[in-house]
Structures are given as C-alpha cells and as structure tokens.
C-alpha cells in the first residue's frame, strides 16, 4: 500500500454480529490503496462474503468503521448513494445468473445508464468502445444471456460494470466454472483493464492460482478474522500461519519439483455460533499448544510487510519477527 495516501477503502475494527450468538466478522481491519489488487481467501464460512457485503454497503457493521476515500461509508451513502454504487462495482460469481434472462445484452448493458441517469448517447458510444476492448462482437448485443458462453457472460458482466466508470471492482470468484484457457484469457483481460482504467480490485477466490497470478497482496480469513496478510509473492513462498500453509498445500502446482506436502486439516471450519476459545484455529491446527487453547493471538506484524495471527508462526518465516 502507498504509505501516506488515503486508502480508497479502509476497514477499521469492523465486527458484524447476527443476533447475540453469531459473529460473522470479528475486529477486522484492512486498508486497500487506490490501484491495488488485493486477494481475499479462506474457506466458506470464513467471513469473506460478509466482509464484501459490508464494504459494498449491503450490510451494516455492528461496530467499527468502513471508509471510502476517507469518508465514513454511512455518510457517503446518505450523501450520494448512486455515486457510491457507480464508484464500487461488484462482479458476482455466477455471471449468467447475474444477468436477467429476459433481457438482451443491449438492454442489460444500457440499463445502468438509465438507473444512474447518465447521458445515453455518450454511454452508448462507450458501450461500443468497451465491446471491442472486451473482445465481444457487436452481434452479441442482440443475444440473450443463455446464448452466451461462460467467458462471454463474464465479459458482459464486466462491461456492465465498466460502463459506469468505477474506481473499485469487487470480483467474487471471477473465473469459477470456466475452462483453464478461458480463465487465463479472462485474467489477462482483467490485468489489462486494471492498468488501462486505473482500477482497484478486491478479488475473492478459492482458486489460489488466481490469487497468485493477479494480486499483489493477499488476505487470509478464518472464522471471521484475518489470520494472515502479506505481499502475495511472500505469502506463497513461505506462509507464516498454519492455516495458510494448509490452504496452499492443497493448491495444484504445475511444477512437480515445487509441490508442497499436503496438510490435511481435521474436521470442518467450526460454526460461528460455537467459536473455539483462544486461537480460533486451534481445533484443527497441527501445531497447536496449550497456550493456543487459552489465549487468542493478536494480528501482529512480521518483518516482511506481513501480519500474522499466531503465537507460533511457522519456522520458515518466524525469523522475520
Ligand atoms: S496460535 Fe497455535 S493453534 Fe493458532 S495457528 Fe498458531 S500454532 Fe496453531
């Protein structure tokens, strides 16, 4: 992150509770600088979706603050809800399902212009430019979503977002369900668009190869907390948190010489209703010790720009502390 600049998105000590019992997010802090590409990883139930919803203003924080460009999100939504919706766009995991099946692509991509009361002529010209940029033929404007391939549907969803000239794109599993070659093309396109339109990305994915390929910083969540945050290259080279190590060990790698020994975790991620005492990961951690069951570790800085929430970071990186 660029030191000294106001982050475009800042989450400060945000907790989200549902009723008395469920704590979906617990004291999460994260800054995203303008132009950054941040990856968010973790199993289902780790809090990724709740974090994204909170960032998008679709769910309220129980405590803590979300800021956009330094302004509290609640104030921004009161002042200029539509402007915020233009500035921060979300790409949903199921691109076809996110497009209304009864509308042709032309209507789908023009709809945001109507909703946001933007000049139609300029918007339509932008749509034509973006169609070319995204490698979609003009004839695709007359198609219905079910007539598009998975890759084309993603491109239409991206076009719908870009027509509003956003600053931030939150992408949920941007390549899920696509063939490997189409995934590669889409990621290349996203990287090009990032540079061309000076976008900021938050990429949420189970696919660690996607995170590794396009993000510069990665955030790992477990049971509502950030457990590790690091420059992506450092995280993949030597994870400091045992949970990160377990996630990475299941990631298929092309080079057999670099394959990690697979770490099989015990059981499932616990329910947020029954959060374990001490370190939340201790019920599954192969390195757990007595202290881990009693004392919750803080998220603390190590020496290479990373933070880890563990009393005993892995030996490979512990020398950085
Ligand atoms: S604090 Fe203990 S249980 Fe938690 S991740 Fe570290 S070693 Fe494992």
């Amino acid at each position: 992150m660029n030191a000294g600049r106001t982050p475009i998105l800042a989450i400060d000590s945000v907790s989200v509770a549902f009723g008395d019992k469920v704590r979906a997010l617990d004291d999460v802090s994260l800054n995203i600088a303008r132009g950054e590409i941040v990856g968010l990883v973790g199993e289902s139930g780790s809090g990724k979706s709740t974090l994204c919803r909170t960032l998008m203003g679709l769910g309220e924080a129980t405590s803590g603050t979300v800021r956009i460009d330094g302004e509290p999100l609640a104030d921004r939504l009161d002042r200029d809800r539509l402007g915020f919706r233009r500035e921060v766009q979300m790409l949903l995991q199921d691109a076809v399902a996110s497009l209304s099946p009864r509308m042709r692509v032309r209507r789908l991509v023009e709809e945001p212009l109507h909703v946001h009361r933007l000049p139609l002529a300029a918007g339509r010209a932008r749509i034509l430019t973006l169609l070319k940029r995204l490698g979609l033929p003009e004839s695709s404007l007359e198609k219905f979503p079910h007539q598009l391939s998975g890759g084309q549907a993603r491109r239409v969803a991206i076009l719908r977002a870009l027509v509003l000239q956003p600053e931030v794109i939150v992408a949920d599993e941007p390549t899920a369900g696509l063939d490997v070659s189409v995934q590669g093309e889409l990621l290349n396109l996203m990287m090009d668009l990032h540079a061309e339109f000076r976008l900021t990305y938050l990429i949420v994915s189970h696919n660690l190869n996607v995170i590794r390929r396009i993000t510069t910083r990665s955030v790992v969540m477990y049971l509502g907390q950030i457990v590790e945050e690091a420059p992506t290259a450092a995280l993949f080279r030597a994870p400091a948190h045992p949970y990160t190590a377990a996630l990475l060990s299941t990631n298929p790698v092309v080079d057999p010489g670099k394959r990690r020994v697979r770490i099989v975790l015990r059981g499932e991620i616990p329910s947020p209703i029954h959060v374990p005492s001490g370190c939340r990961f201790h019920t599954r951690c192969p390195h757990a010790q007595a202290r881990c069951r009693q004392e919750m570790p803080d998220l603390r800085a190590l020496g290479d720009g990373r933070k880890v929430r563990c009393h005993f970071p892995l030996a490979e990186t512990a020398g950085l502390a």
Side-chain angles (χ1 to χ4, degrees), residues 227 240-244 278-293 295-297 308-314:
V227 295
H241 196 282
Y243 178 60
T244 313
C279 171
R280 292 184 172 190
F281 187 53
H282 85 253
T283 54
R284 303 172 78 197
C285 180
H287 304 276
Q289 302 184 33
R291 181 182 172 196
C292 307
R293 288 182 266 283
E295 199 184 312
M296 190 205 295
V308 64
R309 189 185 289 281
C310 177
H311 294 307
F312 309 105
L314 296 176

Side-chain angles (χ1 to χ4, degrees), residues 3 13 18 21 54 110 146 161 173 183 202 235 246 265 280:
S13 301
F18 301 116
K21 291 187 178 152
T54 310
E110 285 186 3
H146 72 271
E173 300 288 356
Q183 284 185 20
L202 177 62
L235 186 111
L265 294 177
R280 292 184 172 190

Side-chain angles (χ1 to χ4, degrees), residues 5-299:
R5 294 239 185 105
T6 304
I8 191 159
L9 287 172
I11 304 158
D12 187 16
S13 301
V14 163
S15 295
V16 174
F18 301 116
D20 295 340
K21 291 187 178 152
V22 181
R23 252 190 131 159
L25 287 184
D26 190 11
D27 197 20
V28 170
S29 295
L30 176 68
N31 286 345
I32 300 178
R34 193 177 291 277
E36 255 199 313
I37 307 180
V38 175
L40 191 57
V41 292
E43 293 162 285
S44 299
S46 61
K48 306 187 304 293
S49 303
T50 307
L51 181 58
C52 289
R53 286 182 59 77
T54 310
L55 267 180
M56 302 284 306
L58 301 172
E60 269 188 38
T62 313
S63 60
T65 318
V66 177
R67 290 175 192 276
I68 174 144
D69 261 334
E71 181 179 14
L73 179 56
D75 294 354
R76 177 63 192 273
L77 289 171
D78 281 349
R79 181 172 68 76
D80 180 19
R81 183 172 291 263
L82 270 184
F84 172 75
R85 296 272 172 249
R86 280 197 297 279
E87 194 171 342
V88 184
Q89 286 282 304
M90 183 151 193
L91 297 177
L92 297 173
Q93 176 172 346
D94 190 340
V96 175
S98 74
L99 303 172
S100 173
R102 284 188 292 275
M103 287 190 195
R104 290 183 197 273
V105 169
R106 182 184 298 281
R107 224 175 119 199
L108 284 166
V109 296
E110 285 186 3
E111 190 188 38
L113 301 174
H114 296 292
V115 172
H116 290 266
R117 295 181 212 114
L118 298 174
L120 274 183
R124 284 177 177 149
R126 183 169 168 78
I127 286 169
L128 291 179
T129 307
L130 285 169
L131 265 182
K132 277 204 194 93
R133 183 65 197 81
L134 293 167
L136 288 164
E138 229 177 293
S139 59
S140 55
L141 287 173
E142 306 313 323
K143 293 192 171 170
F144 288 99
H146 72 271
Q147 296 173 308
L148 302 171
S149 68
Q152 287 172 332
R154 302 262 156 176
R155 287 167 196 251
V156 169
I158 292 173
L159 198 161
R160 249 171 83 88
L162 290 182
V163 82
L164 293 174
Q165 301 181 270
E167 306 237 6
V168 180
I169 290 190
V170 178
D172 186 10
E173 300 288 356
T175 61
L178 299 178
D179 292 344
V180 175
S181 62
V182 181
Q183 284 185 20
E185 283 170 20
L186 193 80
L187 292 177
N188 286 342
L189 177 64
M190 287 181 70
M191 291 297 286
D192 291 346
L193 297 173
H194 166 259
E196 205 169 318
F197 297 106
R198 300 196 185 145
L199 297 167
T200 303
Y201 284 150
L202 177 62
I203 310 283
V204 183
S205 186
H206 284 94
N207 185 336
L208 294 170
N209 287 327
V210 169
I211 298 292
R212 181 178 206 163
R213 178 144 165 204
I214 72 166
T215 70
T216 47
R217 190 155 57 98
S218 297
V219 176
V220 183
M221 294 193 69
Y222 185 79
L223 210 48
Q225 294 181 322
I226 291 176
V227 295
E228 186 163 1
E229 181 187 332
T232 298
L235 186 111
F236 277 81
R237 191 171 53 246
H241 196 282
Y243 178 60
T244 313
L247 283 183
L248 296 193
S249 79
T250 61
N251 191 37
V253 286
V254 181
D255 181 352
K258 293 188 178 161
R259 199 163 284 157
R260 296 172 196 266
V261 176
R262 186 174 176 136
I263 302 165
V264 180
L265 294 177
R266 283 171 280 163
E268 303 281 314
I269 188 168
S271 154
I273 301 175
H274 303 291
V275 171
S277 61
C279 171
R280 292 184 172 190
F281 187 53
H282 85 253
T283 54
R284 303 172 78 197
C285 180
H287 304 276
Q289 302 184 33
R291 181 182 172 196
C292 307
R293 288 182 266 283
Q294 288 146 14
E295 199 184 312
M296 190 205 295
D298 291 328
L299 188 66

